Amino acid sequence: MTGYLGTPVESRNGARFVRGAGRYTDDVHLPREATLAVLRSPHAHAEIVAVDTSAARELDGVYAVATGAELFERIAPQRYLWDLPGQKVGPGRPLAVDRARHVGEPVAVVVARDQYVAEDACELIRVDYRPLPVVTTVEAALAPDAPLLHPDWGSNVQVTAAWPVTPTASPPGAELGARPMPASPGMPEPPDAAAALAAAPVVVEETFTSARIMATSLEGRGVVCDYDPAGPKLTVYTSTQSPHQVREGIAAMLGIPETRVRVVAPDVGGAFGMKAVLYPEEVLAAFFALALRRPVRFAEQRDESFVASTPARAQEMRLSVGFTEDGAILGLRARYTLDLGSAPSTCGAGTGWATGAMLCGPYRVPAVDIRATAVVTNKTPLGAYRGFGQPEANFPMERLLDIAARRLGLDPAELRRRNLIEDFPYTNATGQLIDSGDYQRMLSLLEQRPAYREAVAFRDTARAEGRRVGLGLAFYNECTNFGPSGVLPLIGVTTGGWDATTVTVEPDGTVRVDSGQTPMGQGLETAFAQAAADAFGVSMDDVTVRFGDTASSHYTAYASGASRGAGVGGSSLLVAAGKAVEKMRRIAAHLLEADPDDVERVPGADARSAGASPGGFAVRGAATPPVSLAAIASAAYQGGNLPAGMAPGIQELGTFEPAALAFSYGVVAALVELDGDTGQVTVRRLVFGHDCGTQLNPRLVEAQVVGGALQGQGAALLEELTYDEDGQPRATAFADYLVPLATEIPELDLFHTETPTPFTLNGAKGVGESGVIAAPAAIVNAVQDALPAGAAELTAIPVLPERILHALGELS
């Protein structure tokens, strides 16, 4: 069978999940298992004066109790995945020692017979807290007399970054410790953004805010650590998208060899970046499994997830863009802050760096002056979430372009058309190499879509009837295929950007793929089976794909994140498959007594048809039947009839290092209607154009785009983690934190183009984050369009009903 790639093959696991046959971390149960529970700080900021655990230790069924002070010398600090130049370091301990810095920070831990006993024991622990002044906003944290969360820092600023990057020049804000991102030697001096803005006939300036939100994965975090006395060794079952990185972190923090730790990721019930890093509970469960010599589990409770799992976004940006009178962008200035929460998570200020790097988006911006400041406050530490800083860049830019279009008297689409990148590859003012695309065509295709034209007609007709209907759009590009390894250290990433896959042809001729990528809903297991089936000319039924186990999956540097599975992981699979196919060709030539150059692979007939041929290898132009893959594999494993010097068996490792990033791109149009009495916004339709290079499986691509777009709708209209003046979170359950319901899913019209990237073997770019990047801006642009002329500009998300009513009330 050939030709699977590029076809909409159904997900291999879809039916299994629908039947409820998924196997998640909470489905792993082991003999003699104990349960770990965490006592969390009720205070946003407090000194830990004393901890009395005596009553908890005496409770029947309690196996261990520990405090941060007791574990301080036994568990090392956590390392950073993103360690930006100049970044200050937080405590990095799994349990707070001298002070708690946010509500929910782990203070003590209990291991007991079951969840009930463990929670009862936590309630018996007495902690003497001395409350400290609380800092809940960036403004308060930057005040001259602000309480310091980390006194040894000397301020609440964790790191600053600036663009453009130059080899010598000090960036704006150098007096505050700002550091430019490292530049390549010999780079020319960048254009002067200040001069460009000063000379611009039109300058538009606004402040934009992206609220703190959370991933809300269906499956909370969970871990089960199994102790094996033979090593002693640990097998760690955990809901993660980064098994090798979790193994590295546990081994380093516990001071044990990585070879003594095996990490297995069962089915992952949603991750979205939130499960890309090591969490304290994973280390604690591993520590106590070794200490108690028995399995230990931790299952995050839903109320815990609101204070213990990393949220994201939380940025405010003052953005100024200068234009010529006919709308060409001349320059850009941005000053923005990132609310990191109480201490840097493993991601550090990485999302803030991504925002600055991606702020130019798909546009020609000749000059930039960008400064980012990451600040700590008394909230849960910030982490990764789908888009990783890119939605925070897209929202300000796309909203400002709509504001500018009205001031310039231009159609919003026309203003974008005049500034879109046209010649590729293109290096923008922040140093990003945009690999390939046809942005102009994408915008034109949107305007020609029947669904878009229907939306325009609906808006105009509804307005004539007195209804508040609006139409908005937003363009975007998405940084994907994260790497290469040589560049990553320059931006503080402490791991590589390459990928590895092992391909094995079994003795019966079937194919096994072992990948370092981890599926978490993106459908990699299906796409990789398609690629392997095509490479060997077999049916997908003859391909097994294995993931998520450090004992069998090859180490992959950056794991499954940054939309790199299809392009980088898929390319490493092609390298491995190519090696295996070449070995089989040489064995076939030996069996056929032919010159290897005369032997070619003969693909099988459609395996979905009756009587399909399995294919194999044959002499080019000869009438003799092909030798089958099974016969070649049998010879390879028997070993007695192979070409001289050839090792038995067929197992090949393929590695791939991307030469550069790849940029997916697209455009979103949103049709919305407002209820003037309630302020409710209904998203009626989304028209979404998208290009992720070569589509390995259009069905999977569509599912990723749709899912991301709906998450973007939640960010635009509903989702927000807020805190009161004492740093107490206002949301601790889904009753307090709203996400889109199934009844709120709009009509979706998707269309795709394919512009392959030259930087992968299969031409694929990433798609995992595309949907979420521009949907918020498109929806808010549509809401603004639905408001009466003269209404205040909407510059913050989410746009809650009260904000709509306020905007309408100002005009009444």
Side-chain angles (χ1 to χ4, degrees):
M1 166 64 194
T2 60
Y4 280 110
L5 284 175
T7 64
V9 175
E10 290 187 5
S11 169
R12 281 192 150 193
N13 282 326
R16 180 169 68 89
F17 290 135
V18 169
R19 293 197 306 268
R23 186 172 185 264
Y24 303 93
T25 303
D26 207 44
D27 295 315
V28 177
H29 293 280
L30 304 172
R32 300 180 61 248
E33 183 179 270
T35 296
L36 182 148
V38 176
L39 178 68
R40 303 184 184 276
S41 170
H43 299 281
H45 199 193
E47 180 184 348
I48 301 173
V49 178
V51 183
D52 181 0
T53 60
S54 57
R57 295 177 190 276
E58 294 173 2
L59 184 66
D60 181 52
V62 170
Y63 304 138
V65 181
T67 66
E70 293 168 338
L71 298 183
F72 186 82
E73 298 295 337
R74 305 181 71 181
I75 301 179
Q78 186 171 350
R79 299 172 181 174
Y80 290 102
L81 174 62
W82 280 74
D83 191 9
L84 293 173
Q87 179 173 281
K88 296 172 184 174
V89 178
R93 303 286 179 171
L95 297 176
V97 179
D98 56 346
R99 67 167 71 185
R101 294 176 173 87
H102 69 270
V103 172
E105 182 168 8
V107 173
V109 62
V110 171
V111 182
R113 181 174 56 232
D114 54 38
Q115 185 76 33
Y116 303 102
V117 174
E119 292 186 5
D120 287 346
C122 283
E123 293 179 0
L124 294 175
I125 298 174
R126 297 292 175 259
V127 183
D128 181 8
Y129 293 102
R130 184 173 69 83
L132 298 172
V134 175
V135 176
T136 60
T137 67
V138 167
E139 292 77 14
L142 293 176
D145 58 348
L148 298 183
L149 274 70
H150 306 275
D152 56 312
W153 288 11
S155 76
N156 287 320
V157 175
Q158 189 255 353
V159 71
T160 58
W163 292 262
V165 293
T166 64
T168 57
S170 295
E175 70 282 359
L176 300 177
R179 300 189 179 199
M181 293 297 97
S184 300
M187 280 183 61
E189 290 295 323
D192 187 340
L197 288 169
V202 177
V203 176
V204 181
E205 183 175 83
E206 290 285 352
T207 299
F208 300 92
T209 303
S210 296
R212 174 180 291 250
I213 61 177
M214 59 185 294
T216 62
S217 298
L218 285 176
E219 179 201 19
R221 294 184 296 110
V223 57
V224 179
C225 292
D226 188 15
Y227 172 78
D228 178 3
K233 294 182 179 180
L234 287 174
T235 298
V236 182
Y237 303 90
T238 186
S239 183
T240 183
Q241 59 197 80
S242 308
H244 285 94
Q245 285 63 39
V246 169
R247 182 183 70 172
E248 288 176 354
I250 289 175
M253 293 181 72
L254 298 186
I256 60 177
E258 285 187 39
T259 53
R260 286 176 53 188
V261 182
R262 174 191 177 193
V263 175
V264 179
D267 291 327
V268 179
F272 309 116
M274 181 268 290
K275 295 178 182 177
V277 298
L278 179 69
Y279 279 89
E281 295 86 356
E282 290 168 309
V283 179
L284 291 169
F287 173 85
F288 283 105
L290 286 172
L292 298 173
R293 288 171 163 70
R294 66 188 307 155
V296 175
R297 79 161 41 245
F298 166 77
E300 181 183 61
Q301 307 303 298
R302 183 56 71 178
D303 59 343
E304 285 183 293
S305 70
F306 282 85
V307 296
S309 291
T310 56
R313 310 297 191 241
Q315 288 192 25
E316 181 174 275
M317 178 183 294
R318 186 69 176 173
L319 178 62
S320 306
V321 180
F323 299 87
T324 64
E325 292 179 350
D326 60 0
I329 296 174
L330 295 174
L332 173 156
R333 179 192 298 115
R335 298 290 184 268
Y336 65 98
T337 57
L338 173 69
D339 185 342
L340 277 179
S342 65
S345 71
T346 301
C347 289
T351 59
W353 179 89
T355 297
M358 292 296 296
L359 189 54
C360 296
Y363 304 109
R364 301 186 306 274
V365 182
V368 301
D369 173 9
I370 303 170
R371 188 171 76 216
T373 304
V375 181
V376 289
T377 63
N378 292 119
K379 302 171 186 172
T380 301
L382 211 67
Y385 176 49
R386 199 171 193 172
F388 199 82
Q390 297 178 89
E392 297 95 302
N394 185 270
F395 176 69
M397 190 65 172
E398 291 297 318
R399 278 295 295 127
L400 188 136
L401 287 176
D402 260 35
I403 296 169
R406 285 192 290 276
R407 295 188 188 178
L408 291 163
L410 293 173
D411 178 80
E414 179 58 27
L415 178 59
R416 289 169 171 82
R417 180 177 287 107
R418 295 182 185 186
N419 289 285
L420 287 171
I421 298 168
E422 294 182 302
D423 299 318
F424 298 87
Y426 176 88
T427 301
N428 70 14
T430 64
Q432 306 305 303
L433 176 66
I434 315 298
D435 58 326
S436 63
D438 191 340
Y439 294 0
Q440 296 283 355
R441 177 170 178 253
M442 178 66 73
L443 184 56
S444 296
L445 288 174
L446 171 76
E447 294 172 316
Q448 296 166 15
R449 293 291 290 182
Y452 180 77
R453 293 180 175 179
E454 290 169 6
V456 173
F458 180 89
R459 178 195 62 182
D460 295 343
T461 301
R463 283 182 174 176
E465 297 170 353
R467 296 161 65 182
R468 302 187 187 279
V469 176
L471 184 64
L473 64 85
F475 214 100
Y476 75 96
N477 57 10
E478 175 199 355
C479 173
T480 77
N481 292 351
F482 198 61
S485 300
V487 174
L488 296 186
L490 300 179
I491 57 176
V493 177
T494 55
T495 186
W498 55 276
D499 195 274
T501 300
T502 301
V503 171
T504 304
V505 179
E506 304 283 13
D508 62 357
T510 59
V511 178
R512 186 180 81 239
V513 175
D514 289 287
S515 172
Q517 295 292 317
T518 302
M520 47 192 166
Q522 71 275 58
L524 282 176
E525 60 273 55
T526 302
F528 282 14
Q530 291 176 258
D534 279 1
F536 289 94
V538 300
S539 166
M540 280 182 64
D541 293 338
D542 291 329
V543 178
T544 300
V545 185
R546 302 195 307 185
F547 297 89
D549 187 342
T550 59
S552 57
S553 301
H554 199 281
Y555 180 90
T556 290
Y558 197 77
S560 294
S563 289
R564 60 196 308 273
V568 182
S571 291
S572 70
L573 188 159
L574 292 181
V575 172
K579 291 180 179 180
V581 168
E582 174 58 20
K583 184 172 185 177
M584 296 186 79
R585 189 178 68 84
R586 292 171 56 203
I587 296 173
H590 181 76
L591 298 177
L592 292 167
E593 299 181 350
D595 189 316
D597 291 339
D598 294 332
V599 174
E600 62 182 359
R601 183 175 67 80
V602 180
D606 191 334
R608 290 168 287 192
S609 303
S613 168
F617 288 81
V619 177
R620 188 181 298 107
T624 55
V627 57
S628 69
L629 267 63
I632 297 169
S634 177
Y637 284 94
Q638 194 279 329
N641 188 18
L642 294 176
M646 178 178 285
I650 306 173
Q651 184 175 70
E652 299 292 344
L653 170 67
T655 63
F656 181 76
E657 175 79 72
L661 300 169
F663 286 79
S664 298
Y665 64 95
V667 62
V668 187
L671 177 70
V672 307
E673 183 166 3
L674 314 183
D675 186 319
D677 294 327
T678 66
Q680 190 71 34
V681 178
T682 300
V683 182
R684 294 199 168 276
R685 175 175 290 181
L686 293 177
V687 184
F688 204 124
H690 176 258
D691 191 312
C692 61
T694 303
Q695 295 189 66
L696 305 186
N697 185 324
R699 184 191 296 264
L700 298 177
V701 168
E702 179 173 322
Q704 286 293 297
V705 173
V706 170
L710 295 178
Q711 285 182 304
Q713 178 178 328
L717 301 175
L718 297 169
E719 299 184 48
E720 184 175 23
L721 284 173
T722 62
Y723 299 77
D724 66 18
E725 62 277 5
D726 296 320
Q728 294 292 325
R730 292 192 174 100
T732 56
F734 284 127
D736 313 308
Y737 187 87
L738 303 181
V739 295
L741 303 176
T743 54
E744 296 172 307
I745 297 175
E747 294 181 28
L748 285 134
D749 176 68
L750 270 67
F751 65 95
H752 300 269
T753 61
E754 293 191 49
T755 310
T757 178
F759 299 133
T760 62
L761 300 183
N762 54 16
K765 307 178 183 182
V767 64
E769 295 163 319
S770 287
V772 77
I773 294 174
I779 291 170
V780 177
N781 282 339
V783 173
Q784 189 74 58
D785 186 53
L787 291 171
E793 297 290 352
L794 300 172
T795 58
I797 50 176
V799 180
L800 301 174
E802 51 265 38
R803 295 178 182 173
I804 299 295
L805 294 175
H806 179 72
L808 293 173
E810 287 184 333
L811 299 173
S812 60

